[in-house]
Amino acid sequence: MTSELPSGIALQPGELLALSGTPKRLPPPRRPRSRRPGPHLSKIRGRGMEFEESRLYQLGDDVRSIDWRVTARSGKLHTKLFHEELERPVLLLVDGSPSMRFGTRIRLKSVQACRYAALAAWSALRRGDRIGAIFTSPAGLQEVRPGGRHPHLLSLLRRLSEWHNALLHEGEAVGWVEERYPAAYPLHEALRTARRLAPPGSLIYIISDWIRLDTELLQLLGALKRHHDLRAVQVLDELEEQLPDSGTYPVQGRDPGPGEAPLVWLDCGLPELRAQHELRFREHQQHLQSSLRSHGVPLISLRTQEDVHDLPLY
């Protein structure tokens, strides 16, 4: 039963609700492209709630916007300019690939991904933005269409918690198929779904360990970036960065195939093994950072033992 699993492996009742406190770093206002009214400022000038400046009256200006105080003070007719207030929908894309069900410090990567997603959702609710989500797994996708108000967010977090805990009981055979057939990698399909689900100008958080970064994934990111504001959140475990100084450990990354050994033994006392492991990690990170930078997508790194409140949301 999921309820019998310890904290850090399963999402416990109320864990995501407890993240509703104000985070230490809130995203600054942006200028979105959505046409729905909301609390963000657009580049389109019009009659709105946010005053920008006064300037000399020009033929065709709305007489209702005349700034009588500045007019009286200057002796010249002035009009007020406003920024139209628009909303920016937020879409949370949480990767449930088998590699996310791993962790050696405090919690699984998948748990930490859900915690960060919940924090971003609470922040969006406070700003008055609509919130949607896509949860991926080798078995398929779950969608939550963008919506506002507190009950919608509570429903989204409940579905996120149930989705995560169901991942823990998925057959590893699904993960085995995914390892051998990269086309089954659910993050590709999730990005395609995001193009359909997210209104133009949305802020999209893509929360994953980003272990796989192929040409197709980068093409999908580039297409999504043309119409949306993206944030790549990479969830890491300390063991992925650096092996222990000593000890021999059994490792099983997936179900073994026919004729394969069920376990691989790592002798961490071998300096060359640790060096090779760290080199592979650095090369992957450099490739990830440069690839995302070329598409104009910021990268936020999140480790399993960190407090999500200490990390930027923007």
Side-chain angles (χ1 to χ4, degrees):
M1 295 291 292
T2 300
S3 59
E4 299 173 353
L5 295 174
S7 175
I9 296 178
L11 276 171
Q12 303 302 315
E15 185 173 354
L16 302 183
L17 300 180
L19 294 168
S20 61
T22 304
K24 297 179 180 179
R25 302 181 187 180
L26 285 174
R30 297 288 290 175
R31 302 182 184 273
R33 285 166 280 205
S34 171
R35 293 298 305 162
R36 292 174 61 92
H40 299 286
L41 304 181
S42 78
K43 294 181 179 179
I44 306 168
R45 286 176 171 171
R47 289 188 56 80
M49 296 297 294
E50 186 74 16
F51 171 74
E52 182 190 14
E53 63 179 350
S54 291
R55 63 156 169 78
L56 287 172
Y57 180 86
Q58 297 177 5
L59 184 64
D61 284 345
D62 191 336
V63 294
R64 293 173 298 176
S65 296
I66 291 177
D67 191 332
W68 294 109
R69 290 187 178 182
V70 176
T71 297
R73 188 166 58 246
S74 66
K76 296 180 179 180
L77 196 60
H78 280 70
T79 186
K80 295 178 181 179
L81 294 181
F82 298 86
H83 268 303
E84 186 180 359
E85 291 187 331
L86 303 176
E87 76 161 14
R88 177 182 55 176
V90 173
L91 186 67
L92 308 168
L93 199 164
V94 186
D95 185 10
S97 298
S99 60
M100 292 289 287
R101 284 171 267 167
F102 174 78
T104 64
R105 301 294 187 273
I106 307 299
R107 56 184 67 91
L108 297 180
K109 292 190 290 184
S110 55
V111 171
Q112 189 73 314
C114 292
R115 290 169 59 83
Y116 186 91
L119 192 69
W122 283 114
S123 177
L125 181 69
R126 279 190 295 273
R127 296 193 306 270
D129 294 333
R130 291 184 299 150
I131 311 155
I134 301 174
F135 311 137
T136 86
S137 77
L141 304 182
Q142 290 191 34
E143 301 177 19
V144 180
R145 291 193 170 277
R149 301 185 182 277
H150 196 263
H152 173 79
L153 175 57
L154 295 181
S155 175
L156 186 152
L157 295 181
R158 175 183 55 78
R159 288 188 59 179
L160 175 61
S161 180
E162 292 173 352
W163 162 83
H164 175 272
N165 291 338
L167 281 178
L168 303 177
H169 303 289
E170 276 192 0
E172 289 302 322
V174 176
W176 179 83
V177 171
E178 186 200 24
E179 291 288 341
R180 283 163 171 70
Y181 303 100
Y185 188 33
L187 196 54
H188 293 79
E189 188 59 32
L191 292 178
R192 296 188 188 95
T193 303
R195 295 184 64 182
R196 171 179 54 81
L197 190 64
S202 297
L203 172 60
I204 302 178
Y205 292 93
I206 306 171
I207 310 172
S208 172
D209 53 14
W210 294 92
I211 282 182
R212 297 179 181 175
L213 193 66
D214 56 28
T215 302
E216 182 183 4
L217 190 63
L218 291 175
Q219 290 174 345
L220 291 169
L221 279 175
L224 202 59
K225 182 66 172 66
R226 284 196 289 270
H227 303 286
H228 303 285
D229 196 6
L230 307 186
R231 294 294 176 271
V233 182
Q234 183 187 23
V235 188
L236 296 166
D237 185 85
E238 189 173 300
L239 193 64
E240 295 173 315
E241 302 181 64
Q242 187 175 30
L243 292 176
D245 292 336
S246 61
T248 302
Y249 302 90
V251 176
Q252 179 174 324
R254 54 174 171 77
D255 281 352
E260 295 182 349
L263 296 175
V264 175
W265 290 86
L266 294 180
D267 185 356
C268 295
L270 299 174
E272 59 273 19
L273 176 64
R274 296 199 308 274
Q276 184 183 29
H277 180 83
E278 293 169 18
L279 176 62
R280 185 179 298 113
F281 175 79
R282 288 196 303 271
E283 289 176 342
H284 174 76
Q285 288 301 103
Q286 291 170 359
H287 176 51
L288 174 62
Q289 291 166 5
S290 62
S291 298
L292 293 176
R293 191 183 306 116
S294 68
H295 287 80
V297 179
L299 176 64
I300 299 170
S301 293
L302 171 62
R303 286 162 179 78
T304 55
Q305 73 271 25
E306 291 182 300
D307 183 351
V308 292
H309 287 90
D310 294 332
L311 296 167
L313 288 172
Y314 193 81

